[in-house]
Amino acid sequence: MSDHDERSQIERAVERLMHGEPISRRSFLRRTGRGGLALGAAMTLPAILAACGPGKTKLEWANWPLYIDVDDAGKHPTIEAFTKKTGIAVHYVEAINDNEEFFGTIQPDLAAGNVTEWDVISPTSWMVRRMASQGYLEEIDHSKLPNWTANAADYAKGLWFDPDNKYSVWWQGGITGIGYDPNLTGREITSFDDLLDPAFKGRVGGFSDMRDMMCLSLLSLGIKPADATLDDAKRAQQKLLKAAQAGQFRGFYGNEYYDSLSNGDLVASVAWSGDITQMQLYDNPKVKFVIPSGGAPRWNDNLCIPKKAVWNEQAHKLMDYWYDPVPATTLSEYIGYWTPTKGVPERIKADADAARAAGDTKTADLDDVLSKAVAPTAEQLANVFDYPELADAAEEKAWNDLFLAVTTANG
Amino acid sequence: MRGARRRLTPYLLLLPGTGWLLLFFAVPMAFMLVMSLQEGSLSEGYRLTWNFGIYPKVIGEYGNLILRSVGYALSTTVLTLAIGYPMAYTIAFYGGRLKNALVLVVIMPFFVSFVIRTLNWRMILSDNGLLFGTLKDMGLLDHAFRFLATPASVIFGLTYNFLPFMILPLYVALEKVDRRTIEAATDLYANKVQAFWRVTFPLSLPGVVAGSLLTFIPAVGDFINADIIGARSPDVAMVGNVIQRLFLSVNDFPAAAALGFVLVAGTMLLVGIYTRIVGTDRLTA
């Protein structure tokens, strides 16, 4: 798996060099950072030693690639500000590329009741639910989270996977919908069925993520993923499988769909909302994002404390820090996903106005777009749905097996 | 004493290699075998239930993908042989002082990571990329044409990546061919074509066998080419891709381990038949 990540990182750099495009430092880091050093970094000796207790000098945080602000020196200004404010040093590691894969690296320790190397981890909603149900997460003490209490947006708390935020607080989130280039499709795309239109045979992209794909298919059949039975899942799978066997999908992509959609190899693809915002800003302004008419799955990643984490107190401080609108704004201006913190869109808008007043129209335009993208609209919220719960491992495996048949067109 | 030590010497010499293989090959294989016979899930734990039923199950489910992988690997082997033989022949017979330099050129790609090389091909071969984009702009290709994410592209990628594994053993075998045997053949009124097919080619067979094995075996289990050049298209999924996904996305370790074993067994069977026909002594000749 780390091959993929290494790949997308290097690939983007090389591709840009080959196209002779000038690379601004900021966009270069944005684009290439996604790959990250991932597993390699997580396995470094210092990371392992640091987890050994008494000698611990840093808070260990495992997050996804391209999910934090980066300055020209390759540092993370918001994290540096946190360290300055609290005296807590943070070892920020882009260690998560896949929920299952990351879970596999810490599960043996958690199951054996050992300390993992991490103090804060950033699993996706359904993974929070799984880990919490297995007793792998520490309970959060909300008396230590004043900013969260004051500033957490309504859409970012009390969700299905952790209704009382007992084990998790939001990190960032977004929608899985459809991205397309109207010039290449020749028409607007409004539904998931449009994506499966045989006219685009072999030129649309799917995701290798089971939940995103099954949810889109379920919603196109009028079934809410949260209510879906295994029979519903089979119907949704048949729809995907039929398309896959007819050669509809050029491939089932991970992060690398971005390049293929941006360079026109794909006329349309399943896509993450935040990515298309970035694509419009930096790579291909023609590409549009749409929530299909049946609805789309929403997702979010979270901050959690793994069981027996050594720096529990410090982990709470870090969690709360992101609900301070000041660092939350800096972060959002950089990564552009849905923020959980109230007041961020307004602050970005203010920054845009300030930049315009100072004559920096480029930054102003950028921030104008971002201020609208970093929080969901009421209309968006009405059309997005939660992932299915998949109560136990057997059910989850049944769904995964169904989807494996789709990605190999083997039904 | 000296006699005893002499008797022990071969065993002592074998020790590092045997230990290495035991530790890094036999132990993981045994672990995988046990894993394949377990039932359960990652979160609830696996129990050994001697579930031999998993084997017919994975063969039934993924047999077609194994066949496809064998087909791709065979095509790759034939292509690398067809491309590699003339190249190795030319270097060995006409390379002269440039021989070493030419061999270096053949292995040059190894200085760059496998993944990065494959990635570069993906960029060059993308629908509107360097190659096809130019041809399309010149009107020489239909705009709907695409090469990536097709079976041909995966076989192309495999052929490119494994070509040096074919050329090197061929070169070594051809280099060793005693030129006087060819001279003798022509002295005995063989023309050049006859001399090649009756003398040079048979003498180079060890290289052909070694090259075929070095190409076929890794190619059949490869998943990088189907992933990158094949763009994870369902049409080109190979058995290696399924094993990878079973391990990493579905978390069905027993099925993944069982499928891995089926692949190993199938490959060994095919290699066994092949060496039976051509003869293993060719490898050491």
Side-chain angles (χ1 to χ4, degrees), chain A residues 94-342:
Chain A
E94 297 185 335
I96 314 178
N97 278 288
D98 181 288
N99 278 295
E100 292 284 8
E101 215 178 286
F102 180 72
F103 180 67
T105 66
I106 55 173
Q107 191 267 347
D109 274 336
L110 291 167
N114 295 333
V115 180
T116 71
E117 69 199 84
W118 307 109
D119 301 299
V120 175
I121 56 175
S122 315
T124 306
S125 55
W126 54 272
M127 183 53 87
V128 171
R129 186 180 170 82
R130 183 198 290 179
M131 292 186 71
S133 74
Q134 288 173 349
Y136 291 166
L137 296 177
E138 290 287 345
E139 277 190 37
I140 291 170
D141 180 350
H142 283 275
S143 71
K144 292 176 184 163
L145 302 181
N147 283 330
W148 183 86
T149 312
N151 298 331
D154 288 337
Y155 58 82
K157 60 184 175 190
L159 296 176
W160 65 278
F161 56 91
D162 186 12
D164 302 315
N165 288 91
K166 223 166 133 181
Y167 303 100
S168 65
V169 296
W170 252 58
W171 169 242
Q172 302 281 304
I175 313 171
T176 305
I178 297 171
Y180 67 104
D181 181 344
N183 299 302
L184 297 177
T185 53
R187 66 179 173 98
E188 300 301 322
I189 300 288
T190 58
S191 69
F192 189 64
D193 289 357
D194 284 348
L195 191 74
L196 303 185
D197 181 343
F200 310 135
K201 187 180 158 198
R203 303 184 70 200
V204 304
F207 273 4
S208 58
D209 183 282
M210 180 274 282
R211 280 177 176 78
D212 282 338
M213 292 300 285
M214 290 293 274
C215 284
L216 283 167
S217 185
L218 280 165
L219 288 164
S220 75
L221 295 167
I223 303 161
K224 275 191 195 164
D227 305 335
T229 62
L230 191 57
D231 279 335
D232 293 333
K234 281 181 187 152
R235 280 173 57 207
Q237 180 237 15
Q238 283 303 315
K239 183 167 181 171
L240 293 172
L241 183 61
K242 236 178 82 192
Q245 284 173 334
Q248 182 70 15
F249 296 103
R250 181 175 166 116
F252 290 98
Y253 297 79
N255 286 322
E256 73 278 15
Y257 86 93
Y258 187 102
D259 292 326
S260 299
L261 182 59
S262 171
N263 72 18
D265 282 2
L266 296 171
V267 300
S269 176
V270 176
W272 286 306
S273 49
D275 273 359
I276 304 303
T277 311
Q278 294 193 12
M279 197 180 292
Q280 291 161 348
L281 289 172
Y282 302 108
D283 294 300
N284 186 344
K286 288 176 289 185
V287 174
K288 288 187 182 176
F289 181 81
V290 63
I291 298 179
S293 54
R298 64 183 269 183
W299 51 268
N300 72 289
D301 298 316
N302 303 273
L303 300 175
C304 299
I305 308 174
K307 204 76 184 174
K308 293 190 176 170
V310 183
W311 276 19
N312 186 299
E313 192 77 22
Q314 293 89 332
H316 275 84
K317 287 209 172 106
L318 183 74
M319 283 177 163
D320 201 45
Y321 175 69
W322 299 110
Y323 287 84
D324 173 346
V326 178
T329 299
T330 311
L331 179 69
S332 285
E333 283 178 354
Y334 216 90
I335 63 178
Y337 291 97
W338 283 355
T339 173
T341 311
K342 281 184 201 161

Side-chain angles (χ1 to χ4, degrees), chain B residues 181-229:
Chain B
T181 55
I182 304 169
E183 233 171 76
T186 44
D187 283 350
L188 294 167
Y189 300 102
N191 63 31
K192 281 201 160 171
V193 176
Q194 283 170 323
F196 173 78
W197 284 112
R198 308 196 105 173
V199 178
T200 316
F201 186 72
L203 286 174
S204 71
L205 266 179
V208 175
V209 174
S212 310
L213 295 182
L214 285 177
T215 306
F216 179 81
I217 296 172
V220 80
D222 183 83
F223 62 95
I224 295 289
N225 284 285
D227 242 24
I228 303 181
I229 294 188

Side-chain angles (χ1 to χ4, degrees), chain B residues 14-42:
Chain B
L14 279 174
L15 201 62
T18 318
W20 184 271
L21 280 179
L22 267 180
L23 194 61
F24 294 112
F25 182 72
V27 172
M29 286 297 267
F31 182 78
M32 293 274 288
L33 184 64
V34 174
M35 183 42 111
S36 73
L37 300 173
Q38 296 185 355
E39 282 176 289
S41 70
L42 182 62

